[in-house]
Amino acid sequence: MIVYFRSAWNFQNKLRRAMDARMPASSGRTVGPPDICTNLYRVFCSRKNVTKDPTGFVRRDTEGEIEALRIYEEVMHANPELTSEQVDDELVKRIYTDERRKFVEGAYRYARVGIIKLIDSQPKSILVEKEKRKLKSILRKTVLQLPPPADVYGDEPDLLTKNDVYFERLKDGTRRLRVGGAFLLSVKSLFNMVFTIAHELGHSIDPCELLHEGMRPEAYDRLTACFRREKILSGPGKRAECSAGDQLPELFADWVAVQVTAGLLKKYATEFDKSQLLDAAINTVKDLCDEDENFKDVDFGSHPPPQIRIQSVFGTHPIIRQVLGCAPSVQTHCGYGWRPFAR
């Protein structure tokens, strides 16, 4: 699989560093501090400095935006004769380099394949073939838009210096995923890149997006019921789903991203040593910790609190806990096939 990534998806630099860091397989014991298995959120978010895993690191959102603006100012000062459009083109050349584009494109392909595998793995009693075909069709039609040229983001030029990554559906039905320039400067970790892209791709098939397709698989009702049962979904009840402040779409997108990155972490469980594996897991959701620090005591609106996203969604996945040397979570990790009696 690693060779496949290199040749087909241009993950060369990230994967080469990862492979160079190979170490003997984990012994199965806890890889981090003793309380990581009981309070993964606290352990992850207590890391205030930049965490480096074998594939890279994750900086604060603001640091990437400051660097992007610095590059923008350098371009303007060095080329006062350029028009604003020409400045944007030069900015794109410096930020959206071939290497960075290939990194994002590789993560996009990996995430899309991972979500499709998740869908295909469901038995017919969970997702029928018609539902599977529709979900996979939506994913395949969701286009990754990256400059150059700069006018790819002509309707939103500020995105070139922003840390935003988002999915959107246009009035004509086109679905697209966009990546801000500052994000490319902030995120060097393969694990965080895959998680972020998988999260946004997950939005293309989230429960509220599917309303536009006139479909609501029963599997989605089971998953949502589990979120409520485990008290990780707050806000409006079922009657008010997809209204303002509903956290279901974001929670679903997190859940999808966790399914994809759990497989990625498992892949490297025998390649990294214990501390490297812990660093990779931390970097997967590192930017969620930053949200918590920057917005303490704030209503997160449509986003669940970071503690829920990290501890109750990411931290309960059986594979992730196994990779970190932890026993299965006492709290249920929800799934498409959840039943009220399946505790």
Side-chain angles (χ1 to χ4, degrees):
M1 287 295 290
I2 291 177
V3 174
Y4 178 60
F5 287 164
R6 285 178 176 170
S7 60
W9 295 348
N10 294 306
F11 271 139
Q12 297 99 327
N13 294 332
K14 298 295 176 182
L15 290 172
R16 188 175 297 115
R17 285 202 292 270
M19 293 301 293
D20 288 345
R22 282 188 294 182
M23 296 294 289
S26 168
S27 65
R29 295 190 297 272
T30 301
V31 301
D35 62 344
I36 188 173
C37 297
T38 56
N39 200 331
L40 182 145
Y41 163 75
R42 184 175 65 185
V43 173
F44 277 27
C45 294
S46 65
R47 292 275 192 99
K48 300 304 180 183
N49 297 324
V50 173
T51 297
K52 294 183 179 180
D53 67 59
T55 69
F57 55 86
V58 181
R59 297 192 298 176
R60 293 178 182 275
D61 294 355
T62 52
E63 292 181 26
E65 293 188 348
I66 290 172
E67 184 177 353
L69 289 172
R70 178 184 58 77
I71 296 172
Y72 185 77
E73 290 179 355
E74 287 178 356
V75 171
M76 287 196 301
H77 291 158
N79 305 277
E81 75 285 357
L82 297 182
T83 65
S84 59
E85 291 79 11
Q86 290 172 326
V87 169
D88 285 346
D89 283 331
E90 185 61 30
L91 177 67
V92 162
K93 290 179 183 178
R94 299 194 186 190
I95 295 181
Y96 291 85
T97 62
D98 286 345
E99 181 180 357
R100 291 183 183 129
R101 280 175 52 91
K102 289 174 181 177
F103 182 33
V104 178
E105 290 166 352
Y108 166 78
R109 295 189 189 99
Y110 181 86
R112 187 174 64 180
V113 169
I115 300 172
I116 288 174
K117 286 182 177 179
L118 170 66
I119 293 168
D120 281 336
S121 69
Q122 305 304 312
K124 292 181 180 179
S125 60
I126 303 299
L127 282 174
V128 299
E129 288 304 314
K130 183 178 180 180
E131 292 169 338
K132 290 182 179 182
R133 286 196 301 271
K134 184 61 178 179
L135 293 174
K136 291 187 290 185
S137 174
I138 292 172
L139 285 164
R140 290 179 176 128
K141 291 179 180 178
T142 300
V143 179
L144 174 65
Q145 285 191 340
L146 291 174
D151 62 10
V152 168
Y153 292 169
D155 58 335
E156 194 177 2
D158 287 349
L159 187 58
L160 299 176
T161 57
K162 295 296 184 182
N163 207 74
D164 300 337
V165 181
Y166 64 86
F167 161 84
E168 66 178 345
R169 177 180 40 78
L170 305 182
K171 291 182 179 179
D172 64 1
T174 300
R175 297 177 179 85
R176 65 189 185 189
L177 194 158
R178 288 179 159 185
V179 181
F183 184 77
L184 300 184
L185 301 175
S186 296
V187 175
K188 307 296 182 182
S189 169
L190 173 66
F191 300 92
N192 187 273
M193 181 63 74
V194 168
F195 182 90
T196 302
I197 297 298
H199 173 100
E200 295 306 326
L201 271 176
H203 276 305
S204 70
I205 57 168
D206 75 36
C208 298
E209 272 299 310
L210 291 189
L211 291 179
H212 298 284
E213 300 296 329
M215 65 181 294
R216 172 76 174 214
E218 185 180 338
Y220 278 56
D221 289 332
R222 288 193 289 267
L223 181 62
T224 302
C226 181
F227 288 156
R228 295 193 185 283
R229 171 71 174 269
E230 295 301 313
K231 302 186 186 305
I232 59 178
L233 175 61
S234 59
K238 185 171 182 178
R239 290 184 178 180
E241 281 181 4
C242 303
S243 61
D246 183 22
Q247 296 180 349
L248 179 57
E250 294 297 335
L251 189 57
F252 176 86
D254 277 346
W255 177 81
V256 168
V258 168
Q259 311 313 304
V260 174
T261 49
L264 188 62
L265 285 166
K266 181 180 180 180
K267 177 182 183 60
Y268 287 106
T270 58
E271 309 293 343
F272 295 170
D273 67 23
K274 295 178 181 180
S275 63
Q276 290 171 334
L277 195 56
L278 177 59
D279 291 341
I282 290 174
N283 274 343
T284 302
V285 291
K286 180 66 174 177
D287 46 350
L288 303 186
C289 294
D290 288 345
E291 285 185 21
D292 186 45
E293 184 171 313
N294 294 333
F295 301 101
K296 288 181 179 178
D297 302 321
V298 171
D299 180 2
F300 288 90
S302 62
H303 288 80
Q307 185 167 1
I308 292 292
R309 303 176 75 180
I310 296 172
Q311 183 71 35
S312 300
V313 183
F314 181 82
T316 58
H317 194 287
I319 290 177
I320 291 173
R321 294 188 67 82
Q322 181 183 31
V323 163
L324 294 177
C326 298
S329 174
V330 174
Q331 184 176 15
T332 297
H333 183 78
C334 296
Y336 278 139
W338 180 83
R339 301 284 184 182
F341 54 81
R343 297 291 294 176

